[in-house]
Amino acid sequence: MHPTRKAVVTAAALLVMATAGCDAGAGVAASPKSSAKPGCPTARSRAEQAVKKAEEVNAPWKGPTTGPKAVHGKTVVYIAQTLTNPGVAGVAQGFEEAAKILGWHARTLNGQGTPGGQRAAFRQALDLKPDGIVLSGFDPGIAPEDVKKARTAGIPLIGWHATAAPGPSKDLQLFSNITSRVEDVAKISADWIIDRSNGHAGVVLFTDASVPFAKHKSDLIKKELATCSGVKLLSYTNIPIPQASSRSIGEVRSLLSRFGRRWTYSAAINDLYFQHAAPALRAAGKDGAGAPYNIGAGDGDPSAFQRVNGKQFQAATVPEPLSEQGWQIIDEFNRAFAGAPDSGYVAPVHIATATNSGGALSWDSEGYRQAYRKIWGE
């Protein structure tokens, strides 16, 4: 068993032993869920079962176990939407780590968080004449001419959160797009709010409408929240990710002024929003472990885990297995170079909280490094 999962199981066993002989309620923390009568019994029951499954801590590798042996001597370039996005940066680290195993030359370029910066990075990548290019966190549709040039040059493109769906994209010329299923991430994030609030919540939803993938995710969260009549969407707040550091504090102050105690839960398309919301919530006298209870629908970077584990203005995250997905990108390139199809693998969703994280700062399936190295013969 993974050490993190083992720690969680051990802690749970010790808690049972410690409380078994106590009087009812003595020394036991109150349930985090609302004690009110469920506001939507059917939706809440369904959400409870989904959340329970997503919070399970054992994660044996369910990805590919077969594929082409390593192709050597390749150069690959990773274009980041912005390296201030911790999810994008986390995948870049896994990408570079896996490339090193194969002896490939890997380079990361920063798109600076703007379409213009991303197009400039794309042109720079093409000038390097690499064997493969990653488009991470931005829509290939912003650079149709560069996509066409890559195709003409025979350079395979792989996306990370580049489109809404995992797998190949013929329209955008992607050999594969690496992401968990946005429908699953959005649904489980909303279900967590429905379940934890017992069907009674006032919700603020943060999104980046400039990124189609992000906007689609937040629209799906909104749709799932609407399945519970007792959950009210107070605000659908658009803050582009590159502006989160400059705008979040002011926006949060405004939301607190408008909604006060009615604001009990938040969801955001990226954990980054809560990093910047925390100072405003703290200045308003909010308890880091209290309302609004915040869940990030991606990406599960170390700073998000630190906030979750420390109960500092973020109660949960739906993490992408960032390092694992960086390795998957390299494996998909190896398949492309060998003339094989993409692996078709999509990581399942998981919810990390202070209760089940075991103090970890990331979430990945167990044994993915060993599995890929075995495939590659390295």
Side-chain angles (χ1 to χ4, degrees), residues 111-197:
Q112 306 294 339
T114 67
Q118 289 143 20
R119 284 191 290 267
F122 205 155
R123 290 191 294 271
Q124 183 181 355
L126 289 168
D127 288 343
L128 294 171
K129 295 180 171 57
D131 297 290
I133 297 175
V134 183
L135 309 179
S136 181
F138 66 95
D139 182 0
I142 68 166
E145 291 302 316
D146 297 315
V147 170
K148 184 177 179 180
K149 288 177 182 178
R151 180 185 181 185
T152 301
I155 301 172
L157 302 176
I158 290 180
W160 183 81
H161 286 207
T163 67
S169 174
K170 292 183 179 180
D171 292 343
L172 296 171
Q173 303 301 317
L174 296 180
F175 178 77
S176 187
N177 181 53
I178 311 303
T179 178
S180 53
R181 289 188 177 86
V182 66
E183 296 85 358
D184 296 342
V185 174
K187 185 175 183 300
I188 202 65
S189 301
D191 283 347
W192 180 85
I193 291 175
I194 293 169
D195 175 44
R196 195 182 192 281
S197 70

Side-chain angles (χ1 to χ4, degrees), residues 35-356:
S35 59
K37 184 178 179 180
C40 48
T42 301
R44 199 202 65 81
S45 177
R46 173 185 46 74
E48 181 181 31
Q49 293 302 312
V51 169
K52 182 178 180 181
K53 181 178 180 181
E55 289 182 340
E56 292 177 354
V57 294
N58 287 324
W61 177 244
K62 295 181 179 178
T65 56
T66 61
K69 297 300 180 184
V71 177
H72 294 288
K74 298 297 183 179
T75 296
V76 286
V77 177
Y78 182 98
I79 304 174
Q81 175 221 18
T82 171
L83 288 174
T84 61
N85 182 331
V88 170
V91 175
Q93 291 177 352
F95 166 82
E96 292 176 357
E97 178 187 28
K100 187 176 181 180
I101 296 296
L102 298 185
W104 292 2
H105 177 66
R107 182 168 178 179
T108 297
L109 302 177
N110 191 352
Q112 306 294 339
T114 67
Q118 289 143 20
R119 284 191 290 267
F122 205 155
R123 290 191 294 271
Q124 183 181 355
L126 289 168
D127 288 343
L128 294 171
K129 295 180 171 57
D131 297 290
I133 297 175
V134 183
L135 309 179
S136 181
F138 66 95
D139 182 0
I142 68 166
E145 291 302 316
D146 297 315
V147 170
K148 184 177 179 180
K149 288 177 182 178
R151 180 185 181 185
T152 301
I155 301 172
L157 302 176
I158 290 180
W160 183 81
H161 286 207
T163 67
S169 174
K170 292 183 179 180
D171 292 343
L172 296 171
Q173 303 301 317
L174 296 180
F175 178 77
S176 187
N177 181 53
I178 311 303
T179 178
S180 53
R181 289 188 177 86
V182 66
E183 296 85 358
D184 296 342
V185 174
K187 185 175 183 300
I188 202 65
S189 301
D191 283 347
W192 180 85
I193 291 175
I194 293 169
D195 175 44
R196 195 182 192 281
S197 70
N198 219 7
H200 296 280
V203 183
V204 170
L205 177 55
F206 295 96
T207 191
D208 181 348
S210 70
V211 179
F213 178 90
K215 178 63 163 55
H216 180 54
K217 184 192 292 185
S218 56
D219 285 346
L220 291 170
I221 293 173
K222 178 182 177 182
K223 181 179 179 181
E224 181 67 11
L225 290 173
T227 65
C228 180
S229 59
V231 172
K232 307 300 180 184
L233 184 62
L234 303 177
S235 175
Y236 195 0
T237 302
N238 175 39
I239 305 176
I241 288 174
Q243 299 175 22
S245 60
S246 60
R247 288 184 50 189
S248 291
I249 291 178
E251 292 283 357
V252 168
R253 286 173 178 165
S254 175
L255 291 164
L256 287 169
S257 176
R258 289 165 59 193
F259 302 117
R261 292 184 178 180
R262 286 188 293 155
W263 178 13
T264 56
Y265 284 82
S266 310
I269 53 91
N270 189 298
D271 296 301
L272 181 68
Y273 289 93
F274 301 126
Q275 174 184 334
H276 301 298
L281 292 170
R282 188 177 293 109
K286 295 293 183 178
D287 182 354
Y293 302 102
N294 302 320
I295 183 168
D299 295 314
D301 66 279
S303 66
F305 273 87
Q306 287 174 341
R307 290 189 297 277
V308 169
N309 294 339
K311 299 182 180 180
Q312 289 298 307
F313 303 102
Q314 186 167 350
T317 181
V318 183
E320 293 277 19
L322 300 176
S323 177
E324 174 189 317
Q325 289 178 333
W327 279 63
Q328 184 181 351
I329 289 171
I330 294 298
D331 182 64
E332 302 293 359
F333 270 135
N334 193 61
R335 292 168 190 269
F337 299 151
D342 73 296
S343 72
Y345 177 60
V346 180
V349 293
H350 174 71
I351 296 175
T353 67
T355 302
N356 73 353

